[in-house]
Amino acid sequence: MTQTAIRYHFLRGGTSRGPYFQRSDLPQDEATLSQVLMAVCGAGHPLNIDGIGGGNAVTTKVAMLSPSERDDCDVDYFFAQVAVEKREVDYRPTCGNILVGVGPAAIEMGLVPALDGETTVKIHAVNTGAVVEAVIQTPGGKVAYEGDFEIAGVPGTAAPIRLGFMETVGSVTGALLPTGNLIDVIDGVEVTCMDVAMPVMMARAADFGLTGYETQAELDENRAFFERVEPIRLEAGKRMGLGDVTKSVTPKITLLAKPRFGGTVTARYFMPWSAHPSMAVTGAQCIATCAILPGTVADGLTEGLGALPTPVTVGIEHPSGTFEVVVDHEPAGAGIAIRSAGVVRTARLLARGEVLVPARVWTR
């Protein structure tokens, strides 16, 4: 036998896609697991030509599911970000878009029984410790993928999946503001370092000589920007308590500007060495919190928040449209405390069966 077959489901979750595995079907030690996931995706080539990755960071993501070890959750979701052109796998972050597909995948895999009508799947995001409730449409006890809900960055419509993110503040660092400051100045640039579902370093686009309305392609081609921002990100990572983040995708980078199409704020999100074609679910929660918290780099850039009701809907304009986050919050001293954040997304099962990796990489 020259190849090892591994059961998988292949789903689009939000504006990302990738293989979903049962954790028990994969090697348990991290070093071998990384080799397997790189072989699955074809890491190390810009087109991922020798794997099922799509040549972009949003299409080289992997979800690994198992019955939850927590009594209050149904499924443990372990995420891996496989690099595109490098031979690397990062287990430090999570991915909210791929998380959208966890509920449907868990039902398809038989890890969670489906009810007639709607099925709630309580998910433990292992990488960060976050807990998320996903409400899946399951008429007749089957996952429904067809529907009339539309999300920016995905053509057509599909069945809505409601996500409620709990325990997201300080998901990785243990604090809303890991540096202890609303604004830090790094190499002359003001940034807000925040951890809500994902550690993110946010700055004003204008402080990098950008408008904030650039396309994904324009940003990816701007190598001068990446050369300027990466040292700032590395220092932000140290100040956030993340250590040396040279090979880590966290903290992510976000540039903010005023909205132009009726939203609350404009954002360009980076992964971090390329621009996101739309918006990350986890990153959106951090951006929304930054937008409503007084004293951050978002001050003067937001519109339409008014007296800040709770919950408040924050519209984040991105290259493909607008992403809405519903933030439930309460006063806390001079600021606010975040109780939960909710989004509505879609997912679709694209394929299922077996994916093959060379036996030299792994044999059961």
Side-chain angles (χ1 to χ4, degrees), residues 12 158 337 351:
R12 173 187 62 77

Side-chain angles (χ1 to χ4, degrees), residues 267-285:
R268 293 296 184 262
Y269 187 78
F270 298 82
M271 302 181 285
W273 304 295
S274 62
H276 199 292
S278 54
M279 177 55 58
V281 172
T282 46
Q285 295 171 67

